[in-house]
């Protein structure tokens, strides 16, 4: 069993939207069949981006144009290209190939349409014909797919159903971007307090934490490489820029405390029955990562002040009060993510590797 109970009070909150926490016990759903790029937009030498839109539009072919524009915007941001909205508007629906003034070429897939979303895939290389694939289900117990629990140079974004269904996939990117900011550089200014009291009749302990954890503003492009479905929640794997993190040897991070001289720490949220204020798994992941970052900061150095008092009140009575002041700048690499459920609510565990100083 994992035991790492924390009581969170007074923390600044960054709201992440779009991922419901409540577990559902509905009957198994028959897996849908979809283009393989829908859950694996990066494969072999193909790097592509997915745009989404509502399947119906007030204007003719408006959903296809909007989806193409959104996919192209992600592609242009990654490749450093100018805005392509005007060229895409002038492209007929039958045309799936766009040549830019600088000679760069962009290719679009046929739309894949569900009851609530229209998807289009865009790439700078011809889109290879691939067989359709079954929808991939997230299984945290078995760590399937493998990137859920052990992947290099990546961060995971999660999203529950959004107000408009076609926004669920983009919301995973918003949440991943926020987490990437925490992992890249975080200022930890926290105070922990541990109080104990003893008497012939009882032993009482109390732990509290308050302060601020502020992440950086991550601006570099994130590339969605994979996704899987966890009930009504979508988990997407986003690759960070290659120079930000290094490739590491795959192993079980839950059994070690150091890797190549750097700390490996676990953070958790929800183990003591705490529920994220917005009831979202994406927020629970954020709080678990913040918890791990505090542990990394404590490993770098803390200031400790302690007092002890021994009273004689109908026998001996011992009081101790220890305060830990933590002020550090840290970074980390997400090694492993685990979601469990206790009493119908999610418990999230993460493992982080300390970043280079």
């Amino acid at each position: 069993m994992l035991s790492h109970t924390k009581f969170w009070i007074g923390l600044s909150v960054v709201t992440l939207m779009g991922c419901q926490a409540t577990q559902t016990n509905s009957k198994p759903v028959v897996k849908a069949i979809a283009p393989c790029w829908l859950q694996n937009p990066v494969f072999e030498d193909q790097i592509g981006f997915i745009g989404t839109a509502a399947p119906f539009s007030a204007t003719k072919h408006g959903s296809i144009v909007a989806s193409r524009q959104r996919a192209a915007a992600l592609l242009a941001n990654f490749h450093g290209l100018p805005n392509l909205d005007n060229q895409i508007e002038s492209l007929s629906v039958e045309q799936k190939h766009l040549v830019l003034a600088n000679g760069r070429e962009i290719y679009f897939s046929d739309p894949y349409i569900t009851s609530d979303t229209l998807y289009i895939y865009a790439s700078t290389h011809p889109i290879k014909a691939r067989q359709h694939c079954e929808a991939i289900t997230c299984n945290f117990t078995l760590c399937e797919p493998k990137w859920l629990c052990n992947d290099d140079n990546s961060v995971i974004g999660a999203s529950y159903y959004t107000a408009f269904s076609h926004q669920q996939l983009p919301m995973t990117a918003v949440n991943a971007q926020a987490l990437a900011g925490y992992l890249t550089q975080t200022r930890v200014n926290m105070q922990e307090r541990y109080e104990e009291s003893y008497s012939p009749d009882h032993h009482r302990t109390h732990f509290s934490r308050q302060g601020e954890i502020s992440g950086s503003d991550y601006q570099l492009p994130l590339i969605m490489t994979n996704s899987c479905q966890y009930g009504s929640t979508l988990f997407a794997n986003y690759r960070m820029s290659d120079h930000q993190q290094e490739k590491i040897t795959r192993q079980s991070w839950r059994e070690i405390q150091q890797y190549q001289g750097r700390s490996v720490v676990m953070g958790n949220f929800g183990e003591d029955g705490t529920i994220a204020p917005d009831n979202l798994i994406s927020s629970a992941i954020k709080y678990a990562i913040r918890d791990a970052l505090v542990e990394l900061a404590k490993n770098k150095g803390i200031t400790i002040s302690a007092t002890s008092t021994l009273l004689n009140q109908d026998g001996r009575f011992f009081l101790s009060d220890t305060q830990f002041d933590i002020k550090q700048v840290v970074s980390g690499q997400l090694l492993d993510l685990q979601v469990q459920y206790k009493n119908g609510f999610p418990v999230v565990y993460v493992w982080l590797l300390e970043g280079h100083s």
Side-chain angles (χ1 to χ4, degrees):
M1 294 292 293
L2 298 167
S3 59
H4 195 224
T5 303
K6 295 292 176 72
F7 298 88
W8 288 81
I9 60 174
L11 292 177
S12 61
V13 176
V14 177
T15 301
L16 297 184
M17 300 177 59
C19 180
Q20 172 66 296
T22 306
Q23 184 184 35
T24 59
N25 295 315
S26 57
K27 295 181 180 179
V29 178
V30 177
K31 289 187 176 182
I33 301 296
C36 295
W37 51 257
L38 186 64
Q39 292 187 299
N40 293 281
V42 175
F43 56 94
E44 298 174 358
D45 60 345
Q46 184 98 45
I47 296 179
F49 300 86
I50 300 172
T52 63
F56 305 105
S57 172
T59 60
K60 188 176 182 180
H61 305 309
S63 295
I64 292 178
V65 172
S67 186
R68 283 179 173 181
Q69 288 177 333
R70 290 162 186 162
L74 297 172
L75 182 147
N77 184 43
F78 177 73
H79 291 288
L81 301 175
N83 185 288
L84 304 172
D85 285 357
N86 291 337
Q87 290 110 306
I88 291 173
E89 284 184 2
S90 62
L91 195 69
S92 71
V93 173
E94 292 74 21
Q95 290 177 289
K96 302 168 191 172
H97 179 209
L98 180 64
V99 181
L100 306 182
N102 62 4
R104 295 292 294 268
E105 298 177 284
I106 298 176
Y107 299 84
F108 297 101
S109 71
D110 288 322
Y112 171 68
I113 305 173
T114 66
S115 60
D116 52 29
T117 306
L118 182 148
Y119 302 87
I120 285 181
Y121 180 68
S123 176
T124 55
H125 293 85
I127 298 171
K128 301 176 182 177
R130 305 185 73 206
Q131 293 182 347
H132 282 35
C133 299
E134 286 187 347
I136 301 172
T137 301
C138 311
N139 188 322
F140 288 96
T141 303
L142 300 177
C143 284
E144 292 290 345
K146 294 298 182 186
W147 56 262
L148 271 180
C149 303
N150 195 342
D151 198 30
D152 299 326
N153 200 25
S154 65
V155 62
I156 294 173
S159 176
Y160 184 68
Y161 287 140
T162 47
F164 298 98
S165 298
H166 67 274
Q167 295 176 342
Q168 185 180 27
L169 181 59
M171 185 56 68
T172 65
V174 173
N175 291 339
Q177 197 91 15
L179 296 182
Y182 278 108
L183 296 172
T184 301
Q185 185 181 79
T186 293
R187 293 187 178 275
V188 178
N189 186 1
M190 300 291 294
Q191 188 178 86
E192 293 184 345
R193 193 165 186 173
Y194 184 72
E195 300 170 285
E196 282 189 290
S197 62
Y198 298 87
S199 75
D201 300 323
H202 82 280
H203 173 209
R204 176 180 176 273
T205 64
H206 176 69
F207 174 84
S208 63
R209 174 187 285 173
Q210 61 183 357
E212 184 177 17
I213 304 172
S214 54
S216 58
D217 185 13
Y218 190 85
Q219 295 292 341
L220 296 175
L222 292 175
I223 308 170
M224 177 185 156
T225 59
N226 316 89
S227 67
C228 65
Q229 200 75 28
Y230 186 65
S232 299
T233 301
L234 178 65
F235 282 82
N237 194 40
Y238 286 87
R239 193 173 74 199
M240 301 173 72
S241 297
D242 291 337
H243 70 273
Q244 291 293 108
Q245 297 178 325
E246 64 190 80
K247 290 189 175 182
I248 51 182
T249 304
R250 295 180 183 275
Q251 56 188 298
S252 176
W253 302 109
R254 309 172 194 204
E255 300 170 0
I256 65 174
Q257 295 181 329
Q258 279 203 335
Y259 175 78
Q260 295 184 353
R262 289 181 286 158
S263 298
V264 175
V265 300
M266 184 190 78
N268 82 80
F269 183 79
E271 192 176 63
D272 60 348
T274 306
I275 304 170
D278 52 12
N279 201 30
L280 306 179
I281 289 183
S282 55
S283 292
I285 294 172
K286 177 193 67 175
Y287 291 132
I289 287 177
R290 287 159 59 110
D291 184 34
L293 289 167
V294 172
E295 296 304 310
L296 286 178
K298 289 164 67 174
N299 287 346
K300 291 186 70 173
I302 59 177
T303 301
I304 303 174
S305 57
T307 60
S308 298
T309 306
L310 181 60
L311 303 175
N312 187 356
Q313 297 178 343
D314 299 325
R316 293 184 300 173
F317 195 94
F318 177 75
L319 301 172
S320 70
D321 186 352
T322 305
Q323 181 172 297
F324 303 88
D325 291 305
I326 311 158
K327 294 183 179 181
Q328 299 288 345
V329 176
V330 295
S331 62
Q333 182 168 345
L334 181 62
L335 300 173
D336 197 345
L337 170 69
Q338 181 72 42
V339 178
Q340 300 176 1
Y341 273 84
K342 184 184 292 185
N343 298 324
F345 296 104
V347 182
V348 176
Y349 302 92
V350 298
W351 283 259
L352 300 187
L353 172 65
E354 180 185 11
H356 289 291
S357 301

